Every structure is written in structure tokens, then in C-alpha cells.
Amino acid sequence: MKHLFWLTLAAVSAPFASAQDSFFPIWGDEAEARGYTLPKPYGLSLSYMDMSNPVTVNSIGLSGHPVLEAIDVDANHADFSGSNITLRGDVWIFPFLNVYGILGYTRGESKARINSVSCDHSAFRPIDIENQALCGLVNVAGEFLPDDAMFTLDMEGGTYGVGTTLAGGVGNWFALVDMNYTHTSMNIIDGTIKTFVAAPRVGHRWQYDGGRELRVFVGAMYQDVQQHLSGNLKDLNLPSQLLPIIDELAPDGRFDVKQSADDKWNGTAGFQYAFNRDWDILFEAGFGSRETLFVALGRRF
């Protein structure tokens, strides 16, 4: 979901004044003695991110009745769209190493086209007439599914995680790698979204009077997303042709869906502008099969 990479570029001779008297960053005095200008050691940031990307549906399992367990739902591709709001607190442990924690809230929707629905008669003995008949009804309903038949997963829940940034630079050029791991617990349906992100960046900075600074960067994002979702079958917003059969088989039937992102890499580009030694804003866009829009407002102490 995310996802939640914060591009703390300040490690490379930021426009902010010398770090305040603090235990952190370790080796800060040595770095300043060599001519490096360090950011203030502590930071808070508030961000908003919007994302859309294709998703692979790895498995769909149904339970609550023997016939449900014999049903195969072919819907191997989905489109995910979502957003989150996140608060991050960070500290520079070393002049080149930042660590942070993340708290936020994520909302999203996954829509998958149902290619076919079928029931495996071989799962039942020939003398099991009732289940054989119900299985046949499923196959008949599957033949009359509309071309735009979909199932939809609505996702919403709290997000938390940890991350780190390694940064360095030469002159006005800088480079960094940001990595984080986040966990989102769903509260509409059962399930979790686990996300690992690694985002390398390179860029250039321009300094202006009054402590203002502009940084422009390009890079890439690696994102490994694993979604494991479950809930009541009726929460899938299935086609109307299937609802009477579900009510007949198991009104409280359950589903179990596992999904992962199609493409783990996409390109990124953006900028960060420091208004003064305390405040900055960051904007980043991601392009490729996964499209993202990220905005953050930061305050250093």
C-alpha cells in the first residue's frame, strides 16, 4: 500500500543550519569539523499518497459448504487503487543514516474481472445427488455471467512500520536509498497488507538566500506487496447470478484471497523545496505500470 517511502534528502549538506545540541547524530561534530552542514536531528512529516497499479490474484478459496470448496473462480488479474495519510517521526543516528517510524491510515479498492466460474463434479461421489445438482447449478450460472462480471474488495485500515535511509553526496550532487517495511490491518474485511519498499534516488540541489533550497531527483521504486484478505462472500459484490446459489449453499460462506503486485519496479521523479531551516515540502510522481502521487510536509527540530 504502500508504501510509504519518505526520501529524507537532508543528509547531503542540507540548507538547514547546524544540528542542535543533541546526542544525535553520532559523529556529527566530526562531520561539521570537516565542513559538512547537517540537518537538525529530529523530524516530523505528514504525507498523502495516491496509487494505482495492476495486481495478480494468486488464489481464491471459498468455504462454508462442500460445493463452495469445489468451485473454481478464474479471476487472475485485478486493478488496485488506493491512498493513505501517514505521520512519520525520524532521527538522524549518524550523518549518513536516518531511521524512522510510520503511523497512518490506508484505504483502497481492488477490482477483478471474473473470467469464469465452474464447479468440479469429480469432487463428489455419483450418489451424492444433492451436491452434484448444486454443482450443476453453479456451472449453469457460470455460463451466463456478463462479460463485465467483477468481484470487488474494499480495504481500509491502520498502517504502521519502520524504515531507514542511507544518504551521501559530492558537491551539489546527492544519492540515497530509502527502505521501509509496513503492515496494514484491515477493518472492513479480515486480512493484512505487507509491503517492503526500496527506493534509490539521485539528484542535484540549488541553494538560495535565506536558507531556501531546491532539490530535484529521479530514481526508481521496488515494491513487494503481499495481500491476504478474507471475509464474507457477500462482501465481494459478486454478480447477481451467483447470489441465490450462495444463499442456498451457505449464507455465511467465506472467501480467502491472496494477491501480489504485477510489477515490482517503477520509475520516479520529484523535487523537495526547503522554505527555511525548519520547514520543507516534497512532491514525487511515479510512472510505469504502477502510478503514484506523493506529497509531504516536513518539520525538523
Side-chain angles (χ1 to χ4, degrees):
M1 22 246 153
K2 341 212 238 92
H3 22 109
L4 304 170
F5 46 96
W6 277 81
L7 311 181
T8 39
L9 308 175
V12 284
S13 6
F16 310 122
S18 301
Q20 296 174 333
D21 292 337
S22 170
F23 178 76
F24 295 112
I26 300 170
W27 300 339
D29 292 339
E30 290 84 347
E32 290 182 334
R34 296 184 180 185
Y36 292 98
T37 303
L38 301 181
K40 293 182 178 181
Y42 308 105
L44 284 175
S45 302
L46 182 66
S47 76
Y48 171 82
M49 184 176 186
D50 187 89
M51 180 173 67
S52 61
N53 63 288
V55 170
T56 297
V57 181
N58 299 310
S59 66
I60 301 175
L62 308 181
S63 61
H65 189 281
V67 173
L68 287 178
E69 297 172 7
I71 291 177
D72 176 59
V73 180
D74 180 6
N76 55 13
H77 177 82
D79 290 311
F80 173 83
S81 60
S83 63
N84 62 44
I85 296 177
T86 306
L87 179 67
R88 190 197 84 162
D90 73 89
V91 58
W92 286 100
I93 302 298
F94 296 100
F96 54 85
L97 176 66
N98 181 280
V99 296
Y100 56 87
I102 297 168
L103 286 175
Y105 200 78
T106 299
R107 302 183 67 176
E109 181 183 71
S110 174
K111 290 186 175 182
R113 181 179 180 275
I114 301 176
N115 300 315
S116 66
V117 175
S118 61
C119 183
D120 183 8
H121 282 280
S122 65
F124 309 105
R125 294 178 299 173
I127 61 173
D128 191 350
I129 298 175
E130 180 180 359
N131 285 336
Q132 288 281 2
L134 290 171
C135 195
L137 287 176
V138 172
N139 288 329
V140 171
E143 293 177 1
F144 290 94
L145 286 179
D147 293 337
D148 59 350
M150 308 282 288
F151 80 78
T152 303
L153 293 169
D154 292 316
M155 295 169 257
E156 185 174 333
T159 297
Y160 59 91
V162 295
T164 185
T165 302
L166 290 170
V170 177
N172 288 324
W173 292 92
F174 62 84
L176 64 87
V177 177
D178 183 88
M179 296 175 288
N180 63 64
Y181 177 83
T182 58
H183 184 282
T184 300
S185 298
M186 299 293 101
N187 58 20
I188 294 181
I189 59 176
D190 299 329
T192 60
I193 301 176
K194 299 177 182 180
T195 306
F196 172 75
V197 172
R201 303 287 189 273
V202 295
H204 192 274
R205 68 189 184 102
W206 292 267
Q207 293 178 293
Y208 305 99
D209 295 338
R212 295 174 295 125
E213 181 174 307
L214 174 66
R215 307 182 188 101
V216 177
F217 57 88
V218 296
M221 186 202 312
Y222 171 87
Q223 189 176 85
D224 183 12
V225 181
Q226 300 297 326
Q227 299 178 351
H228 187 185
L229 309 167
S230 61
N232 193 291
L233 269 174
K234 294 181 180 179
D235 292 335
L236 287 177
N237 299 315
L238 292 169
S240 59
Q241 290 88 341
L242 297 176
L243 296 180
I245 299 175
I246 292 174
D247 287 335
E248 176 69 23
L249 293 175
D252 298 323
R254 304 279 295 176
F255 71 86
D256 187 275
V257 176
K258 294 181 180 180
Q259 301 183 144
S260 59
D262 278 5
D263 296 318
K264 295 186 177 181
W265 286 97
N266 71 304
T268 59
F271 69 87
Q272 185 179 33
Y273 182 74
F275 299 99
N276 50 45
R277 64 188 299 244
D278 298 321
W279 292 94
D280 66 88
I281 189 170
L282 184 147
F283 174 89
E284 182 186 72
F287 47 89
S289 61
R290 178 172 59 245
E291 298 180 346
T292 59
L293 180 64
F294 179 83
V295 181
L297 178 66
R299 173 74 161 89
R300 301 215 65 80
F301 304 90

